[in-house]
Amino acid sequence: TDTDRAVSMVEQLLGEFEHKIDSVTIIPSRGGVFEVTADEDLIYSKKATGRHAEYEDVGVPMRELLG
């Protein structure tokens, strides 16, 4: 399910960036919306791409942002 995919994404992000992430918030929604933001910057949007994110779709920009 989309919820399982979101939780899996959070687990992966925390595994890689646990010392750089202060908090994670998952906001349930309807209609297949899946967006990832960091400090109010949009990192990934399912609406824009038309598909659910793979980890690297989020991991790469997070690495660039967090260094």
mmCIF file of all heavy atoms in Angstrom, residues 36-43 65:
data_model
loop_
_atom_site.group_PDB
_atom_site.id
_atom_site.type_symbol
_atom_site.label_atom_id
_atom_site.label_comp_id
_atom_site.label_asym_id
_atom_site.label_seq_id
_atom_site.Cartn_x
_atom_site.Cartn_y
_atom_site.Cartn_z
ATOM 1 N N VAL A 36 7.663 14.831 -0.601
ATOM 2 C CA VAL A 36 8.716 14.867 0.405
ATOM 3 C C VAL A 36 9.268 16.285 0.412
ATOM 4 O O VAL A 36 9.653 16.807 -0.637
ATOM 5 C CB VAL A 36 9.839 13.859 0.097
ATOM 6 C CG1 VAL A 36 10.942 13.957 1.133
ATOM 7 C CG2 VAL A 36 9.286 12.445 0.017
ATOM 8 N N THR A 37 9.283 16.893 1.594
ATOM 9 C CA THR A 37 9.857 18.220 1.742
ATOM 10 C C THR A 37 10.934 18.182 2.825
ATOM 11 O O THR A 37 10.899 17.348 3.722
ATOM 12 C CB THR A 37 8.797 19.272 2.128
ATOM 13 O OG1 THR A 37 8.179 18.890 3.351
ATOM 14 C CG2 THR A 37 7.744 19.421 1.046
ATOM 15 N N ALA A 38 11.881 19.075 2.720
ATOM 16 C CA ALA A 38 12.923 19.249 3.732
ATOM 17 C C ALA A 38 13.080 20.747 3.939
ATOM 18 O O ALA A 38 13.340 21.483 2.978
ATOM 19 C CB ALA A 38 14.238 18.624 3.289
ATOM 20 N N ASP A 39 12.882 21.188 5.154
ATOM 21 C CA ASP A 39 12.940 22.625 5.451
ATOM 22 C C ASP A 39 12.075 23.427 4.484
ATOM 23 O O ASP A 39 12.497 24.437 3.939
ATOM 24 C CB ASP A 39 14.375 23.138 5.431
ATOM 25 C CG ASP A 39 15.213 22.556 6.545
ATOM 26 O OD1 ASP A 39 14.648 22.238 7.609
ATOM 27 O OD2 ASP A 39 16.428 22.418 6.353
ATOM 28 N N GLU A 40 10.892 22.920 4.222
ATOM 29 C CA GLU A 40 9.898 23.550 3.344
ATOM 30 C C GLU A 40 10.265 23.539 1.868
ATOM 31 O O GLU A 40 9.558 24.113 1.044
ATOM 32 C CB GLU A 40 9.559 24.961 3.827
ATOM 33 C CG GLU A 40 8.970 24.982 5.233
ATOM 34 C CD GLU A 40 8.571 26.366 5.689
ATOM 35 O OE1 GLU A 40 8.284 27.222 4.833
ATOM 36 O OE2 GLU A 40 8.545 26.579 6.909
ATOM 37 N N ASP A 41 11.379 22.905 1.496
ATOM 38 C CA ASP A 41 11.753 22.760 0.086
ATOM 39 C C ASP A 41 11.206 21.438 -0.427
ATOM 40 O O ASP A 41 11.425 20.392 0.188
ATOM 41 C CB ASP A 41 13.275 22.770 -0.079
ATOM 42 C CG ASP A 41 13.893 24.107 0.283
ATOM 43 O OD1 ASP A 41 13.247 25.143 0.017
ATOM 44 O OD2 ASP A 41 15.006 24.106 0.829
ATOM 45 N N LEU A 42 10.519 21.469 -1.554
ATOM 46 C CA LEU A 42 9.984 20.251 -2.144
ATOM 47 C C LEU A 42 11.123 19.419 -2.727
ATOM 48 O O LEU A 42 11.872 19.890 -3.577
ATOM 49 C CB LEU A 42 8.965 20.593 -3.236
ATOM 50 C CG LEU A 42 8.249 19.421 -3.877
ATOM 51 C CD1 LEU A 42 7.406 18.664 -2.842
ATOM 52 C CD2 LEU A 42 7.373 19.913 -5.018
ATOM 53 N N ILE A 43 11.258 18.194 -2.236
ATOM 54 C CA ILE A 43 12.306 17.282 -2.688
ATOM 55 C C ILE A 43 11.760 16.331 -3.760
ATOM 56 O O ILE A 43 12.444 16.004 -4.716
ATOM 57 C CB ILE A 43 12.851 16.456 -1.497
ATOM 58 C CG1 ILE A 43 13.423 17.353 -0.419
ATOM 59 C CG2 ILE A 43 13.850 15.407 -1.950
ATOM 60 C CD1 ILE A 43 14.651 18.119 -0.824
ATOM 61 N N LEU A 65 21.326 18.160 -0.105
ATOM 62 C CA LEU A 65 20.871 19.148 0.862
ATOM 63 C C LEU A 65 21.623 19.034 2.183
ATOM 64 O O LEU A 65 22.035 20.036 2.764
ATOM 65 C CB LEU A 65 19.375 18.990 1.103
ATOM 66 C CG LEU A 65 18.741 19.956 2.080
ATOM 67 C CD1 LEU A 65 18.727 21.368 1.510
ATOM 68 C CD2 LEU A 65 17.317 19.524 2.405
#
